[in-house]
C-alpha cells in the first residue's frame, strides 16, 4: 500500500509546517539578496550573473517545497534534483565572471563552459529516469538506482573541481577580483 507524501505529513504536521515555512522563507530571502546585488550595480555583468544564480536557487527551493508538500512528491523530487544538478554550472559562470575579462571568457574559456554544461546537463537528465529513482519507490520503501550514485558522485566531483579551479585562479588575481572570488568561494 502506497502512502502519499501528504498522508505521511499528517502524522507530523508541526515539523512539516516548519519545514514548509523555512523553504518559502529561504526562497524569498535568496531572491531578495540577489535583487539587492543586482540593484547595487545593474551594469556590472558579475552582478547580473549572481542575480540569475539567486533566481536559480529560488526555483530550486520552490521545487523542494513542492516535493515536500505535494502528493506527487517523486515528480517534484526529480525536478528538484534536476535543477540542483545545474547549480555547479551556474557557480562556474559566476566564478568566471569574477576572474575573467569578457574577451577572455569569449575566447578559450567558452570550451570549458561547454564541457561544464554538458556534464551538468547529463546529470540533470539522469534524474528523470528509473535509473535514478525507480518508479516503484515509495516514501516507506525508498529505492535508489545506480544513476542516483552517479548523480551524487558527479555533483561532488563538479564541486571539487570548481573549488580546485577557484583556488588556482585566486593565485593570479589581485585587488577587488581576488577578494570577490575569495568571498564567492
Amino acid at each position: 500500500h502506497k502512502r502519499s507524501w501528504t498522508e505521511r505529513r499528517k502524522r507530523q504536521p508541526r515539523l512539516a509546517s516548519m519545514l514548509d515555512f523555512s523553504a518559502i522563507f529561504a526562497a524569498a530571502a535568496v531572491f531578495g539578496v540577489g535583487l539587492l546585488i543586482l540593484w547595487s550595480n545593474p551594469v556590472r555583468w558579475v552582478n547580473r550573473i549572481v542575480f540569475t544564480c539567486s533566481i536559480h536557487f529560488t526555483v530550486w527551493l520552490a521545487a523542494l517545497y513542492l516535493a515536500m508538500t505535494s502528493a506527487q512528491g517523486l515528480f517534484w523530487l526529480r525536478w528538484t534534483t534536476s535543477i540542483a544538478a545545474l547549480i555547479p554550472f551556474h557557480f562556474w559562470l559566476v566564478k568566471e565572471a569574477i576572474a575573467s575579462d569578457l574577451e577572455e571568457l569569449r575566447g578559450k574559456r567558452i570550451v570549458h563552459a561547454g564541457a561544464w554544461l554538458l556534464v551538468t546537463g547529463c546529470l540533470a537528465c539522469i534524474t528523470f529516469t528509473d535509473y535514478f529513482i525507480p518508479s516503484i519507490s515509495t516514501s516507506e520503501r525508498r529505492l535508489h538506482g545506480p544513476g542516483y550514485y552517479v548523480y551524487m558522485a558527479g555533483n561532488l566531483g563538479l564541486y571539487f573541481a570548481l573549488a580546485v579551479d577557484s583556488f588556482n585562479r585566486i593565485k593570479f588575481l589581485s585587488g577587488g577580483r581576488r577578494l570577490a572570488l575569495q568571498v564567492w568561494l
Side-chain angles (χ1 to χ4, degrees), residues 33-85:
V33 168
L35 198 58
L36 286 173
I37 289 171
L38 179 66
W39 177 72
S40 71
N41 191 354
V43 176
R44 190 170 175 229
W45 66 296
V46 172
N47 292 26
R48 292 177 185 180
I49 294 175
V50 170
F51 175 66
T52 63
C53 197
S54 74
I55 292 172
H56 191 149
F57 268 94
T58 302
V59 170
W60 173 71
L61 286 166
L64 180 63
Y65 169 77
L66 290 170
M68 291 187 307
T69 60
S70 174
Q72 300 172 338
L74 182 58
F75 171 79
W76 287 109
L77 180 64
R78 290 182 190 278
W79 272 104
T80 302
T81 53
S82 179
I83 293 166

Side-chain angles (χ1 to χ4, degrees), residues 3-14 16:
R3 253 192 311 192
S4 70
W5 288 56
T6 52
E7 289 174 4
R8 189 183 83 212
R9 285 176 31 125
K10 288 179 185 175
R11 295 184 303 167
Q12 301 171 341
R14 183 179 173 111

Side-chain angles (χ1 to χ4, degrees), residues 81-143:
T81 53
S82 179
I83 293 166
L86 298 171
I87 290 173
F89 174 67
H90 221 140
F91 281 175
W92 181 85
L93 284 176
V94 173
K95 178 197 65 89
E96 287 299 315
I98 293 169
S100 302
D101 292 328
L102 184 58
E103 291 78 27
E104 184 182 340
L105 188 60
R106 287 184 184 156
K108 62 183 179 178
R109 302 302 286 178
I110 201 75
V111 174
H112 294 282
W116 275 85
L117 188 57
L118 178 68
V119 172
T120 57
C122 288
L123 290 175
C125 290
I126 286 174
T127 64
F128 293 106
T129 66
D130 279 352
Y131 184 66
F132 182 69
I133 296 177
S135 297
I136 59 172
S137 180
T138 63
S139 59
E140 287 83 26
R141 187 167 172 247
R142 296 181 182 185
L143 301 174

